[in-house]
Amino acid sequence: ALFVTHDLDEALAIGIGAASVREIDELNIGRATTLAMRRALEALPVRPGHVVVDGRPVAGLGWDHHAVVGGDGLVHSIGCASIVAKVTRDRLMDEISQAMGVDMGSGYPSDPKTISFLEKWINDKGNPPPCARASWETTRRLLAHSRLSRITDW
């Protein structure tokens, strides 16, 4: 998510960018994040005069930018973009949960609801759900455990 301001009180534009589960698995999380950032920049209805990103410089972003480590706590527009991204992600997780008819939790690796959902899905179906990254360590661990259980049950 990007948040463009012309002053500290009012947003001029907001751009949202995302990468799919498949893109994350194929590219890796770092490259997929860069892709999502580029999409967010391209989604802006106005071209920003200055781009500031949280963290380290982003190779391949395709836009001149300034990186600020810990920027979400130091730079107003980065903090705002962080909030927009979190709210957008939470809403997407809610939509996916409703579409699948199950509470998947937050989708974060430390969330017991998310782990429980993944574990049940993988045990029932033998593969991860379409909304889960196969490259995610939790998914890989649950898949390995499920396969091992099936071998020992045989």
Side-chain angles (χ1 to χ4, degrees):
L2 291 173
F3 184 84
V4 178
T5 62
H6 59 75
D7 63 42
L8 292 179
D9 297 321
E10 185 177 326
L12 180 61
I14 297 173
I16 303 293
S20 71
V21 168
R22 183 176 178 179
E23 288 170 323
I24 296 168
D25 280 341
E26 288 176 1
L27 299 173
N28 78 38
I29 190 70
R31 288 187 181 120
T33 299
T34 300
L35 176 63
M37 291 172 75
R38 205 168 38 243
R39 287 174 175 165
L41 284 161
E42 292 165 358
L44 288 168
V46 296
R47 184 171 176 93
H50 186 70
V51 176
V52 184
V53 300
D54 189 19
R56 300 192 184 285
V58 182
L61 183 58
W63 294 66
D64 289 334
H65 63 282
H66 178 75
V68 180
V69 175
D72 56 345
L74 300 171
V75 179
H76 181 75
S77 59
I78 294 176
C80 292
S82 216
I83 292 167
V84 170
K86 174 81 167 102
V87 169
T88 301
R89 183 193 180 284
D90 288 350
R91 288 180 180 165
L92 181 59
M93 288 301 300
D94 287 344
E95 288 175 19
I96 293 169
S97 287
Q98 288 176 9
M100 295 184 78
V102 62
D103 183 0
M104 295 175 15
S106 67
Y108 290 112
S110 60
D111 184 346
K113 279 186 182 177
T114 299
I115 294 169
S116 178
F117 162 75
L118 276 175
E119 189 170 34
K120 181 173 180 358
W121 183 283
I122 288 169
N123 285 337
D124 291 349
K125 303 193 185 297
N127 55 24
C131 60
R133 291 185 285 136
S135 60
W136 190 34
E137 178 58 34
T138 303
T139 304
R140 288 197 316 249
R141 183 176 39 80
L142 291 170
L143 275 169
H145 183 266
S146 173
R147 290 177 181 139
L148 182 60
S149 294
R150 289 178 187 185
I151 289 170
T152 58
D153 287 347
W154 189 62

